Amino acid sequence: MTNTQLLPSGSTIGILGGGQLGRMLATAAAQLGMKTHIFCPDPQSPAFDVTPLKTVAAYDDRAALKAFADAVDVITYEFENVPVETAAFLEGLKPLAPGTRALAVSQDRLVEKRFLTDNAIPVAPYRAVDTLDALVEALGEIGERAVLKTTRLGYDGKGQRMIRAKADAATAFADLEGQQLVLEAFVPFEREISVIVARNARSETRAFDPAENIHENHILKTSTVPANISAETAKAAGDMAARIADALDYVGILGVEFFVVPGDDGPTLLVNEIAPRVHNSGHWTQAVCLTDQFEQHIRAICNWPLGDTTRLADVVMENLIGDEIHAIGEMLVPGTQPHIYGKAEARPGRKMGHINRVNTAIGTK
Ligand code: AMP
C-alpha cells in the first residue's frame, strides 16, 4: 500500500526497530503532533523511553505484526535488516515507507551494486565470489588490492577483509567462507562523503549538503559540513542521491555514501552504499537546519510538504562511542548540542550519543 493522503497530526506512526534512530524519529514525530508505536524484540530498546505505544515481539511474530499494523496509520523502519518477509507482510496491511524494494536492494551488497549499475550510478569494480578459485580469478580481473565483503549483514566494517596481494586470498576467503561474498576493487579515495536525501510520494526530492565522514575502527567518528569538495562535486553527489531515490520510487530519507576519487580531470564519485533510513552522517542537521533529517522523514512518510534543508552554519557531528559518553560534562562548551541515547551500558564500540559542534560565529557579527 502507498499512502498519498496527508496524514493529520494525531495519527500513529509505526516504527520497526527501537535503537537511537527510532528514538530520534519518535521525538521528531511528537514535535509534529504524531504518536509513535515502536516494534522491537529487545525490551531494553532506547526508543521505548520516548514512545507512548510499544510492542516487544520477534520480527516473525505474525500475530504481533498484525496487531501492530492494526494499531498504526503508516509504518516505517529505522534499520535496513528488517526481514523482507516482515516488511512485505506489513505492506499488505498498511502503507509502508520506504517500501519493501528499498530494503531488499540495500540488504544485499550484490543486489545493490547491480541495481546501481543498472541505473548508471558508478560503483567500484566488483565480482560475485563463491569459491576460492573464483576469488583468485576475480583478483586477476579487478586488481590484487581489493576488499572482500559478505553480501549481507555487514556494517561498521564487520564481514570485510582487505586483500593486498593474491597471497592474502586464501586467508581472507577462509575467514568469510560459508557466506555469499563480493569482491570490490580497492578505491584509492581522497575522502568519504554522504548525502541525505528525502523523497515524497509526489516524487519531490530534497537533499541536505554533503557531509565529509571520518571513520575510526570502521565506525563513523565525525561528519563535517561543509565537506572539503567543490560546489560541482557537491551538486553531482546530491543529483546522484536523488536519482537513486527516484529509481527506487522511494518515500522517506535515504542515506547515500560516496568515495571521492582523485583524477586528472578533477575528482569523481563512486557510490559505496545506500541506507534506506535516517543516517548517522545526517545527525548534524539537528543543529543547523530548520528541518532536520528526522522531521523530514516523518514529513515525507506522512505526505506533508518537505521542509527547508538550508544549512545555517558550519558544523561537526562527533559520535560518542563507549566510555566517551562519560566525559559529556566537559564537552558541553558553548556552541555544542548533545544527543544522548539513554543506553544503560557503555560497551566498547557502542554508539552512546553524539554531539553537534556548531560554528556560531555568525551570531557575534
Ligand atoms: P562499508 O561497510 O562498505 O561501508 O565499508 C566500511 C569502510 O571501509 C568504508 O567507509 C571505507 O572506509 C572502507 N572501504 C570499504 N570498501 C572499500 C573499498 N572498496 N576501497 C577502499 N576502502 C573501502
Side-chain angles (χ1 to χ4, degrees):
M1 271 189 228
T2 309
N3 190 30
T4 50
Q5 299 294 312
L6 187 147
L7 210 59
S9 287
S11 302
T12 302
I13 298 171
I15 301 175
L16 296 165
Q20 64 266 20
L21 301 178
R23 178 179 170 110
M24 291 185 275
L25 279 171
T27 308
Q31 190 187 319
L32 300 181
M34 303 289 183
K35 293 189 183 10
T36 46
H37 185 144
I38 296 191
F39 189 113
C40 188
D42 179 1
Q44 304 301 330
S45 297
F48 286 158
D49 290 348
V50 299
T51 186
L53 307 163
K54 64 174 179 176
T55 299
V56 180
Y59 290 119
D60 60 357
D61 181 337
R62 289 285 166 111
L65 290 169
K66 169 82 170 63
F68 169 72
D70 286 346
V72 304
D73 299 295
V74 62
I75 301 172
T76 190
Y77 43 88
E78 57 112 55
F79 74 116
E80 62 270 43
N81 289 318
V82 171
V84 167
E85 305 74 46
T86 301
F89 175 72
L90 291 171
E91 202 168 28
L93 301 171
K94 277 288 156 73
L96 176 79
T100 304
R101 175 136 183 267
L103 267 185
V105 166
S106 59
Q107 276 178 6
D108 186 303
R109 289 186 194 274
L110 204 50
V111 175
E112 182 175 290
K113 286 179 196 304
R114 287 182 181 139
F115 160 79
L116 292 169
T117 308
D118 287 350
N119 285 283
I121 301 287
V123 298
Y126 67 92
R127 295 284 185 280
V129 160
D130 47 16
T131 61
L132 179 57
D133 285 348
L135 172 58
V136 172
E137 191 182 329
L139 288 167
E141 287 168 11
I142 66 173
E144 292 193 22
R145 264 199 101 184
V147 189
L148 186 63
K149 301 182 178 180
T150 58
T151 57
R152 302 180 74 88
L153 293 174
Y155 64 94
D156 290 347
K158 295 192 175 70
Q160 290 195 21
R161 291 294 176 277
M162 195 69 88
I163 296 181
R164 288 177 182 79
K166 270 192 188 169
D168 296 342
T171 316
F173 187 76
D175 285 351
L176 302 177
E177 196 174 2
Q179 302 167 76
Q180 177 65 50
L181 303 175
V182 59
L183 184 75
E184 275 177 44
F186 177 82
V187 178
F189 59 82
E190 63 178 33
R191 61 192 83 247
E192 294 184 84
I193 63 167
S194 58
V195 169
I196 308 300
V197 65
R199 185 175 183 278
N200 65 16
R202 287 183 295 281
S203 308
E204 293 161 348
T205 57
R206 206 160 291 178
F208 292 97
D209 284 354
E212 182 163 342
N213 301 320
I214 305 281
H215 298 85
E216 279 177 14
N217 304 320
H218 295 285
I219 301 173
L220 181 67
K221 186 56 189 160
T222 60
S223 293
T224 300
V225 198
N228 187 10
I229 53 175
S230 67
E232 296 77 57
T233 303
K235 181 170 183 323
D239 289 350
M240 247 186 240
R243 272 171 48 208
I244 296 169
D246 281 338
L248 287 168
D249 200 16
Y250 196 86
V251 174
I253 287 277
L254 175 75
V256 182
E257 297 178 27
F258 298 88
F259 297 125
V260 182
V261 189
D264 293 342
D265 304 322
T268 51
L269 293 169
L270 297 177
V271 170
N272 174 24
E273 61 183 9
I274 64 174
R277 53 171 170 77
V278 285
H279 198 257
N280 194 169
S281 71
H283 292 356
W284 61 272
T285 60
Q286 293 172 308
V288 295
C289 296
L290 280 186
T291 309
D292 69 29
Q293 64 162 346
F294 300 98
E295 179 182 336
Q296 193 77 305
H297 185 76
I298 301 296
R299 285 182 182 229
I301 67 172
C302 295
N303 277 307
W304 286 34
L306 293 179
D308 186 344
T309 55
T310 309
R311 182 174 54 82
L312 303 173
D314 295 358
V315 61
V316 178
M317 187 285 310
E318 181 179 346
N319 270 337
L320 303 178
I321 296 165
D323 282 343
E324 290 169 355
I325 194 73
H326 299 316
I328 187 71
E330 290 128 61
M331 290 181 224
L332 295 186
V333 296
T336 54
Q337 180 197 56
H339 292 267
I340 315 293
Y341 307 151
K343 296 180 183 176
E345 206 191 331
R347 292 195 291 269
R350 194 175 198 202
K351 291 175 181 168
M352 300 300 293
H354 67 270
I355 190 161
N356 286 319
R357 301 180 204 282
V358 179
N359 180 349
T360 52
I362 194 165
T364 57
K365 269 185 197 155

